Amino acid sequence: MSEVTMEKIVSLAKRRGFVYPGSEIYGGFSGFWDYGPLGIALKRNIENLWWRMFVENRDDMFGIDAAIFMQKQAWEASGHVKGFSDPMVECKKCKKRFRADQVGDACPECGGNFGEVRQFNMMFKMHVGATEDESAVSYLRPETAGGIFVNFKNIIDSFHPKLPFGIAQIGKAFRNEIAPRDFIFRVREMEQMEIEYFVRPDEWERWFVAWREEIFMFFEAIGVARDFIHESEIGDGDRAHYSKRTIDFEYDFPFGRKELCGLAYRTDFDLSAHAKASGVDLSVVVNDVTGEKVIPHVIEPSFGVDRAILALLASVYTEDTLGDETRVYLKFNPIVAPIKAAVFPLLKNKPELVAKAREVYTELKKTVPQIMWDDNGNIGKRYRRQDEIGTPVCITIDFQTLEDDTVTIRNRDTGVQERVSTSLLSKHVLA
Ligand code: ATP
């Protein structure tokens, strides 16, 4: 079994339409990547599964989609204007800048010496509206969580939930990373899936433990190998400014063991800070008899979609020999596979086969929209192409189909084919 390398993943992702370099015809743009047709299908499948698991399948969760921009006071209150920074060093000789915790003592480019370590704020600073003065300043959000905290009171007022309950959001976040790297691992524009789970202060430990398990269950559901995920308890000096306990979930990426997602106990830091800065009461009643109120504490599972996709690609990338041919295939769980099935007429130049195949395709597409038509090249080549994008099954319409309405279904992982009646096709594909 040969090794899964970043080169192989990046090259397949581009060749087959998963992920392209941003602004590629202008030479690329560091830290920005564009998702192609298969990439966006994969991304949506992952996000939909997350939403189903954590929002729709639960009674204690509220989904929102907040604006990316917020009043700058919100980012001042949350501590991001002051504290959302990475340590940076600049080479005295070539002037290149690096993240201080990612380089040694000398410049990796020219060997020069570094100046003092400085803090570099990673929020993109913007001006909203037609004036460019300080009053118009706002920021592209560096995490989606902010939009959740400022909507806490809205959810309480509209739905009157009791603790514990959560608010979930999927959306873009932006960080002006000093050194974007490793494909979609460290980017400047990313997608996050975040939950703020509000609990009674004395119950935080219990919910922290519960969410640890939920995180593993999510990765298992999308098909990221559990053996490759490791928990890492973050020490006192290294946690984000708002956190009293953090576990990083790290994945064994081809370039090393690095953070895949995080679980943080944010205490009442954010709600208290927003209550103070806005003057709005963000406490909730926890005892109807005594009227006792508390500011809820928060457990935050925070998932990066791009990192989840990269971990998944690395998990499912497989090279093997089938028959006497070597092949590359993506061993996606059907639930996340961008294409669930491909439909082929055995021969392209037989109108009756093509017409029947079209009929099967059109019928199947009504229940399984993520399917693909392919009549290019011979069957072997079509199988290889579908294997490479991780399509779980290929359906071939042949002469026997015209007689008895059965088709062959070929399994991606084993190469084994079986004959199935067209009436049972969608059941087979969705199984
Ligand atoms: P790192 O230490 O790798 O910079 P972080 O600890 O700053 O990450 P968090 O603030 O915990 O990351 O963000 C939550 C999640 O968002 C991360 O676990 C990761 O999945 C994702 N994420 C954060 N920064 C990036 C980035 N620059 N590119 C892609 N995903 C990111």
Side-chain angles (χ1 to χ4, degrees), residues 273-294:
H274 287 303
K276 193 165 164 222
S278 66
V280 174
D281 180 13
L282 297 177
S283 61
V284 296
V285 174
V286 286
N287 187 325
D288 289 333
V289 180
T290 61
E292 181 196 348
K293 287 178 116 187
V294 297

Side-chain angles (χ1 to χ4, degrees), residues 2 44 46 52 56 106 129 134 158 216 227 239 334-335 393 408:
S2 56
R44 290 262 158 85
I46 291 172
R52 171 79 38 90
E56 292 168 352
E134 253 321 285
S158 302
F216 278 114
D227 297 352
R239 283 191 299 267
I335 196 156
V393 292
T408 64

Side-chain angles (χ1 to χ4, degrees), residues 11 68 84 169 226 306 374 408:
S11 144
I68 286 173
F84 195 70
Q169 171 162 238
R226 187 170 183 144
D306 310 86
D374 192 356
T408 64

Side-chain angles (χ1 to χ4, degrees), residues 187-220:
V187 291
R188 289 178 166 140
E189 175 176 342
M190 61 167 139
E191 192 106 4
Q192 289 184 320
M193 307 183 285
E194 293 195 301
I195 292 165
E196 304 305 322
Y197 198 72
F198 299 98
V199 303
R200 294 175 64 111
D202 56 350
E203 291 187 345
W204 76 267
E205 274 165 310
R206 175 179 152 206
W207 292 111
F208 193 90
V209 171
W211 279 104
R212 271 167 91 167
E213 201 39 47
E214 296 281 344
I215 287 175
F216 278 114
M217 279 166 62
F218 169 72
F219 284 110
E220 197 175 323

Side-chain angles (χ1 to χ4, degrees), residues 175 177 185-187 190 192 259-261 302 304 307:
R175 297 183 183 184
E177 294 280 353
F185 176 80
R186 186 173 300 290
V187 291
M190 61 167 139
Q192 289 184 320
E259 177 175 338
L260 170 62
C261 74
S302 173
R307 286 188 191 178

Side-chain angles (χ1 to χ4, degrees), residues 61-257:
M61 201 68 83
F62 299 87
I64 64 163
D65 183 21
I68 286 173
F69 279 103
M70 297 198 301
Q71 286 265 13
K72 78 164 176 227
Q73 287 96 314
W75 294 116
E76 282 161 3
S78 68
H80 285 81
V81 172
K82 225 179 186 175
F84 195 70
S85 49
D86 271 345
M88 180 181 72
V89 283
E90 187 176 285
C91 172
K92 285 181 177 163
K93 206 161 135 203
C94 72
K95 305 288 176 211
K96 286 229 164 75
R97 291 174 169 186
F98 302 91
R99 235 175 91 164
D101 55 344
Q102 286 176 353
V103 283
D105 294 336
C107 173
E109 299 277 328
C110 72
N113 291 329
F114 290 131
E116 290 280 290
V117 175
R118 282 191 287 148
Q119 290 300 318
F120 173 75
N121 193 299
M122 288 198 292
M123 286 199 293
F124 284 97
K125 200 171 182 179
M126 314 293 287
H127 289 95
V128 177
T131 45
E132 289 230 334
D133 59 18
E134 253 321 285
S135 68
V137 164
S138 185
Y139 303 89
L140 286 179
R141 67 183 178 201
E143 56 173 21
T144 66
I148 293 180
F149 292 119
V150 301
N151 277 288
F152 175 77
K153 190 170 178 332
N154 286 331
I155 297 299
I156 294 280
D157 291 349
S158 302
F159 301 93
H160 312 289
K162 294 267 174 267
L163 297 179
F165 72 91
I167 304 179
Q169 171 162 238
I170 298 178
K172 291 263 183 172
F174 305 82
R175 297 183 183 184
N176 199 0
E177 294 280 353
I178 298 165
R181 57 169 71 182
D182 300 318
F183 189 36
I184 51 173
F185 176 80
R186 186 173 300 290
V187 291
R188 289 178 166 140
E189 175 176 342
M190 61 167 139
E191 192 106 4
Q192 289 184 320
M193 307 183 285
E194 293 195 301
I195 292 165
E196 304 305 322
Y197 198 72
F198 299 98
V199 303
R200 294 175 64 111
D202 56 350
E203 291 187 345
W204 76 267
E205 274 165 310
R206 175 179 152 206
W207 292 111
F208 193 90
V209 171
W211 279 104
R212 271 167 91 167
E213 201 39 47
E214 296 281 344
I215 287 175
F216 278 114
M217 279 166 62
F218 169 72
F219 284 110
E220 197 175 323
I222 64 170
V224 173
R226 187 170 183 144
D227 297 352
F228 282 62
I229 303 176
H230 311 274
E231 289 178 273
S232 162
E233 186 85 41
I234 305 302
D236 281 347
D238 296 326
R239 283 191 299 267
H241 61 275
Y242 48 70
S243 173
K244 271 234 176 98
R245 184 175 180 199
T246 295
I247 291 180
D248 280 354
F249 288 73
E250 299 179 335
Y251 182 81
D252 292 321
F253 289 100
F255 45 87
R257 188 173 287 184

